[in-house]
């Protein structure tokens, strides 16, 4: 009889909770927080079981623990909560822009709006061969104005020679990060927030820590060329993404920018 009386809203409620748990798991997967997340789920299920079995004392203890523990969870999952809220806000913003484009309220020419990913990766590859250090941040939805003001404002259409010349060792603009929005270099010599993570290998220097830091706080993408090894690193959501070839990296970045 209960299944017959199951409302559409009940089904929607279950689906939304499932999606919420899935995205939370996706955020903490591969981090130290995954064990904490699993522990919380187990305690919650035990609490619900004690309530169902009318075990009042144990249910009360677990209920108090969960109630007080919510404040501690905010501290423990600070980075994950920021990423989750950022993901929701960025998704909605992207949909709003798409809707406005369909209504012709926003008009972008292909040259201005489509980021020339191939030119960026080719420049990084060329700089890697000469061990020229570089840090490039590509904006997606989250505003980067809070870091752009720390550098020099620019408005230059992207091409490979320009990117290489900015990070040339004797160039006055090579120090710091470059910010790219759509298909334009909008800032150079930018100072980025550095991650506080203690899990990064010691071989990574300040450029890599800055790339992780900015991608932890925003939904931006970051490319790093190591001055020591010449290797290219791609960072998204505070994590290093693995790729095998230059062509594969181009496709990954294009997919992430969509």
């Amino acid at each position: 009889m209960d299944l017959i009386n199951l409302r559409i809203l009940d089904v929607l409620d279950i689906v939304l909770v499932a999606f919420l748990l899935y995205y939370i798991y996706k955020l903490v997967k591969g981090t130290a927080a995954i064990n904490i997340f699993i522990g919380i789920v187990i305690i919650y299920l035990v609490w619900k079981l004690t309530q169902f079995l009318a075990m009042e004392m144990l249910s009360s203890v677990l209920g108090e623990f969960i109630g007080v523990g919510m404040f501690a969870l905010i501290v423990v999952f600070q980075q994950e909560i920021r990423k989750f809220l950022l993901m929701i806000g960025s998704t909605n913003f992207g949909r709003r822009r798409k809707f406005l484009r369909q209504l012709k309220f926003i008009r972008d020419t292909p040259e201005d709006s489509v980021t020339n990913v191939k030119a960026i990766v080719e420049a990084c590859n060329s700089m890697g061969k000469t061990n020229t250090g570089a840090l490039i941040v590509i904006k997606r939805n989250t505003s980067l104005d809070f870091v752009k003001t720390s550098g020099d404002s620019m408005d230059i259409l992207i091409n490979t020679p320009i990117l290489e010349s900015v990070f040339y060792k004797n160039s006055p603009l090579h120090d710091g990060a470059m910010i790219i929005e759509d298909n334009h270099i909008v800032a150079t010599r930018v100072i980025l927030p550095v991650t506080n993570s203690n899990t990064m290998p010691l071989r990574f220097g300040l450029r890599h820590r800055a790339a992780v830091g900015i991608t932890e706080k925003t939904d931006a993408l970051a490319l790093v060329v190591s001055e020591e090894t010449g290797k290219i690193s791609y960072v998204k959501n505070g994590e290093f993404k693995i790729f095998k070839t230059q062509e594969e990296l181009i496709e990954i970045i294009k997919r992430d920018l969509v």
Side-chain angles (χ1 to χ4, degrees), residues 32-175:
I34 184 64
N35 294 327
I36 301 174
F37 174 72
I38 294 173
I40 292 169
V41 172
I42 291 173
I43 291 175
Y44 180 79
L45 292 176
V46 172
W47 176 46
K48 285 299 180 182
L49 179 62
T50 56
Q51 284 185 325
F52 178 75
L53 298 176
M55 301 170 67
E56 296 182 3
M57 183 174 293
L58 185 56
S59 175
S60 177
V61 171
L62 291 175
E64 291 294 329
F65 175 80
I66 290 175
V68 176
M70 289 303 296
F71 295 100
L73 290 178
I74 295 175
V75 177
V76 173
F77 288 102
Q78 183 179 1
Q79 293 291 341
E80 284 72 20
I81 291 172
R82 181 188 289 117
K83 287 182 183 179
F84 179 70
L85 295 176
L86 180 62
M87 178 181 63
I88 295 175
S90 298
T91 301
N92 291 337
F93 182 75
R95 287 176 180 173
R96 287 196 295 270
R97 286 185 62 85
K98 183 177 179 181
F99 177 70
L100 290 174
R101 282 195 182 97
Q102 289 175 346
L103 295 180
K104 306 302 181 183
F105 289 133
I106 296 179
R107 294 183 180 179
D108 293 329
T109 62
E111 185 182 61
D112 290 337
S113 63
V114 180
T115 304
N116 191 345
V117 176
K118 184 178 180 181
I120 297 172
V121 175
E122 286 180 350
C124 289
N125 188 52
S126 178
M127 289 186 288
K129 292 177 180 178
T130 58
N131 284 54
T132 301
L135 174 52
I136 300 173
V137 178
I138 306 173
K139 174 183 174 291
R140 289 204 289 176
N141 293 316
T142 308
S143 173
L144 298 176
D145 289 346
F146 72 103
V147 292
K148 281 164 55 178
T149 54
S150 66
D152 298 327
S153 180
M154 300 280 173
D155 187 11
I156 305 173
L157 196 66
I158 290 174
N159 62 63
T160 300
I162 287 291
L163 292 168
E164 292 182 43
S165 65
V166 168
F167 289 107
Y168 179 64
K169 293 179 181 179
N170 294 328
S171 167
L173 302 176
H174 81 281
D175 197 21

